């Protein structure tokens, strides 16, 4: 149980740093070869972060697990991008993306964050949580999709049985390449933003919910990676993975609010673009063969599906 009057900001900063340590350790165990390299950085306007990157492993070709806690003046660009009117801000969060080498192991993304907004006297005007996680496979496995979504649903159901369908729908609607006939980036997960305390749910409630979601990340994804990491694959299947990685890049650079916000507000470029895969292909008008496993995946991406 959380103590009454707990400092939400301090509690969440502690949580993301602990989760970074625990998840990096679990990823290294799954990989069995590569280890994370840490790059600590400071933000000129206040705060900083720890970027941890893993590369060229047995399982993970490239990945990152980053934390940051930054503060400063709310710029005009931030006011426009976030539709806020405060004078000072604090933002902290954990963001992770893992791009596997084997095309039968899905890519995973997760982000969990907390934001505070202050007036001229540093009095809190507003605060909220956001985040979520989603799965991006290159070959369709309904078993994997059911496992991933099942863990997320179980976590959400501990707080409110309405949360999973609500946040799954938000995720399905957000991670979409609208310029590609509304093709989804992957098989979704959960996504939420602007979770604020009100008369029904306290800040402590949302802290517990978001931390539970963060703690479920390893159980949702790593068993899939373990089960698929030794699956034999061909050059053609690796080629398809790189084609699909191109769509991942397109979403992140054209539509992702976090990426665009970071780049437009002079964020740390290396940490922001850590999410991009190491190798991609952008072949002109590439189409999968009719009746192939590749076409089976793309068909699912054109219409959200209930996995549970």
């Amino acid at each position: 149980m959380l103590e009454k009057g707990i400092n939400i900001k301090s509690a969440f900063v502690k949580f993301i740093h602990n989760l970074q340590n625990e998840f990096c350790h679990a990823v290294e165990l799954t990989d069995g070869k590569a280890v994370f390299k840490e790059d600590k950085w400071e933000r000129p306007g206040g705060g900083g972060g720890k970027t941890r990157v893993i590369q060229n492993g047995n399982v993970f070709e490239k990945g990152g697990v980053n934390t940051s806690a930054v503060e400063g003046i709310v710029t005009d660009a931030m006011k426009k991008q976030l539709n806020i009117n405060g004078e000072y801000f604090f933002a902290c969060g954990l963001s992770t993306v893992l791009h596997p080498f084997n095309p039968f192991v899905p890519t995973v993304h997760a982000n969990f964050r907390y934001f505070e907004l202050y007036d001229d006297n540093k009095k809190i005007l507003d605060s909220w949580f956001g985040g979520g996680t989603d799965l991006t496979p290159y070959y369709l496995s309904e078993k994997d999709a059911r496992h991933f979504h099942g863990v997320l649903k179980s976590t959400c159901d501990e707080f409110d049985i309405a949360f999973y369908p609500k946040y799954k729908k938000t995720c399905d609607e957000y991670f979409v390449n609208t310029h590609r006939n509304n093709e989804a980036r992957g098989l979704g997960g959960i996504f939420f933003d602007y979770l604020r305390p009100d008369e029904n749910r306290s800040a402590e409630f949302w802290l517990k919910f978001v931390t539970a979601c963060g703690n479920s990340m390893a159980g949702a994804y790593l068993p899939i990676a373990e089960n698929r990491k030794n699956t034999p694959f061909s050059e053609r299947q690796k080629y398809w993975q790189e084609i699909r990685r191109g769509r991942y890049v397109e979403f992140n650079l054209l539509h992702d609010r976090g990426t665009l916000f970071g780049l437009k507000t002079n964020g740390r470029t290396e940490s922001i673009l850590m999410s991009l895969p190491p190798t991609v292909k952008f072949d002109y008008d590439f189409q999968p063969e009719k009746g192939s496993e590749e076409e089976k995946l793309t068909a699912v991406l054109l219409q959200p599906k209930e996995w549970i």
Side-chain angles (χ1 to χ4, degrees):
M1 294 293 292
L2 291 166
E3 297 177 5
K4 186 175 182 180
I6 188 172
N7 185 304
I8 299 295
K9 180 168 73 172
S10 298
F12 196 73
V13 170
K14 181 179 180 181
F15 161 71
I16 61 173
H17 288 154
N18 287 339
L19 181 58
Q20 183 181 40
N21 292 335
E22 293 168 3
F23 190 65
C24 284
H25 178 65
V27 169
E28 288 174 349
L29 289 177
T30 296
D31 189 87
K33 172 187 173 183
V35 296
F36 283 90
K37 306 297 184 184
E38 182 173 279
D39 182 14
K40 289 186 178 180
W41 53 273
E42 294 184 359
R43 180 178 179 272
K50 294 185 291 185
T51 296
R52 292 183 184 172
V53 175
I54 190 169
Q55 298 183 95
N56 302 317
N58 286 329
V59 180
F60 301 107
E61 195 169 358
K62 179 189 176 187
V65 183
N66 302 343
T67 54
S68 63
V70 299
E71 58 188 352
I73 297 172
V74 178
T75 64
D76 289 340
M78 291 176 66
K79 290 179 180 179
K80 182 178 180 181
Q81 187 78 12
L82 292 176
N83 192 28
I84 56 177
N85 292 305
E87 299 303 320
Y88 299 95
F89 78 95
F90 170 82
C92 63
L94 176 143
S95 180
T96 183
V97 177
L98 295 173
H99 292 292
F101 183 75
N102 191 313
F104 287 99
V105 180
T107 283
V108 71
H109 157 262
N111 177 276
F112 304 98
R113 56 193 179 274
Y114 176 65
F115 196 97
E116 286 186 352
L117 194 61
Y118 314 97
D119 64 14
D120 279 332
N121 299 315
K122 299 294 184 72
K123 180 181 178 181
I124 294 181
L125 294 173
D126 198 1
S127 64
W128 63 88
F129 290 95
T133 181
D134 66 294
L135 193 70
T136 304
Y138 305 97
Y139 286 91
L140 179 63
S141 166
E142 296 198 3
K143 177 182 177 181
D144 291 350
R146 287 194 299 270
H147 170 80
F148 187 79
H149 280 266
V151 172
L152 300 183
K153 183 179 185 301
S154 294
T155 303
C156 289
D157 285 354
E158 293 178 10
F159 295 86
D160 190 322
I161 60 172
F163 282 179
Y164 171 75
K166 177 180 179 180
Y167 299 141
K168 177 190 180 297
K169 183 174 185 291
T170 303
C171 188
D172 288 338
E173 293 172 349
Y174 178 71
F175 291 101
V176 172
N177 274 321
T178 54
H179 65 287
R180 293 281 190 182
N181 296 320
N182 292 320
E183 180 187 87
R185 188 174 79 175
L187 302 185
I190 56 172
F191 183 67
F192 45 81
D193 209 353
Y194 302 109
L195 302 183
R196 294 179 169 94
D198 57 23
E199 63 276 8
N200 297 316
R201 296 189 172 103
S202 66
E204 287 84 357
F205 173 90
W206 290 123
L207 174 65
K208 289 179 67 177
F209 171 68
V210 176
T211 55
C213 290
N215 287 329
S216 73
M217 183 170 58
Y221 175 70
L222 290 179
I224 296 173
E226 286 282 359
N227 290 337
R228 303 293 177 191
K229 66 184 184 181
N230 295 319
T231 304
F233 63 91
S234 64
E235 289 185 13
R236 180 183 66 82
Q237 289 162 334
K238 183 67 177 175
Y239 184 90
W240 168 248
Q241 180 193 50
E242 292 180 335
I243 290 287
R244 292 305 312 171
R245 282 177 171 180
R247 302 295 174 90
Y248 200 96
V249 171
E250 289 177 25
F251 177 84
N252 279 29
L253 296 183
L254 294 176
H255 304 298
D256 186 67
R257 294 198 296 260
T259 301
L260 296 175
F261 172 74
L263 295 176
K264 289 181 179 179
T265 56
N266 297 317
R268 189 172 187 270
T269 303
E270 284 300 314
S271 296
I272 296 166
L273 298 184
M274 172 280 299
S275 64
L276 299 183
T279 60
V280 298
K281 293 196 186 310
F282 289 98
D283 286 4
Y284 179 77
D285 196 27
F286 182 90
Q287 300 294 331
E289 294 181 10
K290 296 290 185 182
S292 66
E293 289 298 309
E294 292 81 5
E295 187 187 52
K296 181 179 178 181
L297 174 72
T298 57
V300 170
L301 299 179
L302 294 174
Q303 180 64 46
K305 181 173 179 178
E306 297 302 322
W307 298 105
I308 301 174

